[in-house]
Coordinates of all heavy atoms in Angstrom, one line a residue:
S157 N -98.9 37.7 130.2 CA -97.7 37.1 130.9 C -97.8 35.7 131.4 O -96.8 35.1 131.7 CB -97.3 38.0 132.0 OG -98.3 38.1 133.0
R158 N -99.0 35.1 131.4 CA -99.2 33.8 131.9 C -100.3 33.0 131.2 O -101.2 33.6 130.6 CB -99.6 33.9 133.4 CG -98.4 34.3 134.3 CD -98.9 34.4 135.8 NE -97.8 34.8 136.7 CZ -97.4 36.0 136.9 NH1 -98.1 37.0 136.4 NH2 -96.4 36.3 137.7
F159 N -100.2 31.7 131.4 CA -101.2 30.8 131.0 C -101.9 30.2 132.3 O -101.2 29.9 133.3 CB -100.7 29.6 130.2 CG -100.5 29.9 128.7 CD1 -99.3 29.8 128.1 CD2 -101.6 30.2 127.9 CE1 -99.1 30.1 126.8 CE2 -101.5 30.4 126.6 CZ -100.2 30.4 126.0
Y160 N -103.2 30.0 132.2 CA -103.9 29.4 133.4 C -104.7 28.2 132.8 O -105.6 28.4 132.0 CB -104.9 30.4 134.0 CG -104.2 31.6 134.7 CD1 -103.9 32.8 134.0 CD2 -103.7 31.5 136.0 CE1 -103.3 33.9 134.6 CE2 -103.1 32.6 136.6 CZ -102.9 33.7 135.9 OH -102.2 34.8 136.5
L161 N -104.3 27.1 133.3 CA -105.0 25.8 132.9 C -106.0 25.4 134.0 O -105.6 25.1 135.1 CB -104.0 24.7 132.7 CG -104.6 23.4 132.1 CD1 -105.1 23.6 130.7 CD2 -103.5 22.3 132.1
V162 N -107.3 25.5 133.7 CA -108.3 25.2 134.7 C -108.9 23.8 134.4 O -109.3 23.5 133.3 CB -109.5 26.2 134.6 CG1 -110.6 25.8 135.6 CG2 -108.9 27.6 134.9
G163 N -108.8 22.9 135.4 CA -109.3 21.5 135.2 C -110.4 21.3 136.1 O -110.5 21.7 137.3
G164 N -111.4 20.5 135.6 CA -112.6 20.2 136.3 C -112.9 18.7 136.3 O -112.6 18.0 135.3
D165 N -113.7 18.2 137.3 CA -114.0 16.8 137.3 C -115.2 16.6 136.3 O -115.7 17.6 135.7 CB -114.4 16.4 138.7 CG -115.6 17.1 139.3 OD1 -116.0 18.1 138.6 OD2 -116.0 16.7 140.4
I166 N -115.7 15.4 136.2 CA -116.7 15.1 135.2 C -118.0 15.7 135.4 O -118.8 15.9 134.5 CB -116.7 13.5 135.0 CG1 -117.5 13.2 133.7 CG2 -117.4 12.9 136.3 CD1 -117.4 11.7 133.4
V167 N -118.4 16.0 136.7 CA -119.7 16.5 137.0 C -119.6 18.0 137.2 O -120.5 18.7 137.6 CB -120.3 15.9 138.3 CG1 -120.6 14.4 138.0 CG2 -119.3 16.0 139.5
E168 N -118.4 18.6 137.0 CA -118.1 20.0 137.1 C -118.5 20.6 138.5 O -119.2 21.6 138.6 CB -118.9 20.8 136.0 CG -118.5 20.4 134.6 CD -119.3 21.2 133.5 OE1 -120.0 22.1 133.9 OE2 -119.1 20.9 132.4
R169 N -118.0 19.9 139.5 CA -118.2 20.3 140.9 C -116.9 20.8 141.5 O -116.9 21.7 142.3 CB -118.8 19.2 141.7 CG -120.3 19.0 141.5 CD -120.8 17.9 142.5 NE -122.2 17.8 142.4 CZ -122.9 16.9 143.1 NH1 -122.3 16.1 143.9 NH2 -124.2 16.8 143.0
K170 N -115.8 20.1 141.1 CA -114.5 20.4 141.7 C -113.6 20.9 140.6 O -113.6 20.4 139.5 CB -113.9 19.2 142.3 CG -114.7 18.6 143.4 CD -114.1 17.3 144.0 CE -114.9 16.7 145.1 NZ -114.3 15.4 145.6
F171 N -112.8 22.0 140.9 CA -111.9 22.6 139.9 C -110.6 22.8 140.5 O -110.4 23.1 141.8 CB -112.5 23.9 139.4 CG -113.8 23.7 138.6 CD1 -115.0 23.7 139.3 CD2 -113.8 23.5 137.3 CE1 -116.2 23.5 138.6 CE2 -115.0 23.3 136.6 CZ -116.2 23.3 137.3
R172 N -109.5 22.8 139.7 CA -108.2 23.1 140.1 C -107.5 24.0 139.1 O -108.0 24.0 137.9 CB -107.3 21.8 140.3 CG -107.9 20.9 141.5 CD -107.1 19.7 141.6 NE -105.7 19.9 141.8 CZ -104.7 19.0 141.8 NH1 -105.0 17.7 141.6 NH2 -103.5 19.3 142.1
I173 N -106.4 24.6 139.4 CA -105.8 25.6 138.5 C -104.3 25.4 138.5 O -103.7 25.1 139.5 CB -106.2 27.0 138.8 CG1 -105.8 28.0 137.7 CG2 -105.7 27.4 140.2 CD1 -106.4 29.3 137.8
L174 N -103.7 25.6 137.3 CA -102.3 25.4 137.1 C -101.8 26.7 136.4 O -102.4 27.1 135.4 CB -102.0 24.2 136.3 CG -100.5 23.9 136.0 CD1 -99.8 23.4 137.3 CD2 -100.3 22.8 134.9
K175 N -100.8 27.3 136.9 CA -100.2 28.6 136.4 C -98.9 28.3 135.6 O -98.0 27.7 136.2 CB -100.1 29.6 137.5 CG -99.6 31.0 136.9 CD -99.6 32.0 138.1 CE -98.5 31.7 139.1 NZ -98.3 32.7 140.1
I176 N -98.8 28.8 134.4 CA -97.6 28.7 133.6 C -97.1 30.1 133.2 O -97.8 30.9 132.6 CB -97.9 27.9 132.3 CG1 -98.5 26.5 132.7 CG2 -96.6 27.6 131.5 CD1 -99.0 25.7 131.5
D177 N -95.8 30.4 133.6 CA -95.3 31.7 133.3 C -94.7 31.7 131.9 O -94.0 30.8 131.4 CB -94.1 32.0 134.3 CG -93.7 33.4 134.3 OD1 -94.2 34.2 133.4 OD2 -92.9 33.8 135.2
R178 N -95.1 32.8 131.2 CA -94.7 33.0 129.8 C -93.5 33.9 129.6 O -93.1 34.1 128.5 CB -95.9 33.5 128.9 CG -97.1 32.6 129.0 CD -98.3 33.2 128.3 NE -98.1 33.4 126.9 CZ -99.0 34.0 126.1 NH1 -100.1 34.5 126.6 NH2 -98.7 34.1 124.8
T179 N -93.0 34.5 130.7 CA -92.0 35.5 130.6 C -90.6 35.0 131.1 O -89.7 35.8 131.3 CB -92.4 36.8 131.4 OG1 -92.6 36.4 132.8 CG2 -93.7 37.4 130.9
V180 N -90.5 33.7 131.3 CA -89.2 33.2 131.8 C -88.2 33.2 130.6 O -88.5 33.5 129.5 CB -89.4 31.8 132.3 CG1 -90.3 31.8 133.5 CG2 -89.9 30.9 131.2
D181 N -86.9 33.0 131.0 CA -85.8 33.0 130.0 C -86.0 31.8 129.0 O -86.7 30.8 129.3 CB -84.5 32.8 130.7 CG -84.2 34.0 131.6 OD1 -84.7 35.1 131.3 OD2 -83.4 33.8 132.6
L182 N -85.5 32.0 127.9 CA -85.6 31.0 126.8 C -85.0 29.7 127.3 O -83.9 29.6 127.7 CB -84.9 31.5 125.5 CG -85.2 30.7 124.3 CD1 -86.6 30.9 123.8 CD2 -84.2 31.2 123.1
G183 N -85.8 28.6 127.1 CA -85.3 27.3 127.6 C -85.7 26.9 128.9 O -85.5 25.8 129.3

Side-chain angles (χ1 to χ4, degrees):
S157 59
R158 288 180 178 85
F159 277 117
Y160 294 93
L161 186 64
V162 177
D165 63 353
I166 195 169
V167 294
E168 299 184 2
R169 284 183 174 177
K170 302 177 182 180
F171 296 89
R172 297 177 60 188
I173 190 168
L174 184 72
K175 184 176 67 175
I176 305 173
D177 194 352
R178 305 173 63 183
T179 60
V180 296
D181 296 336
L182 194 67

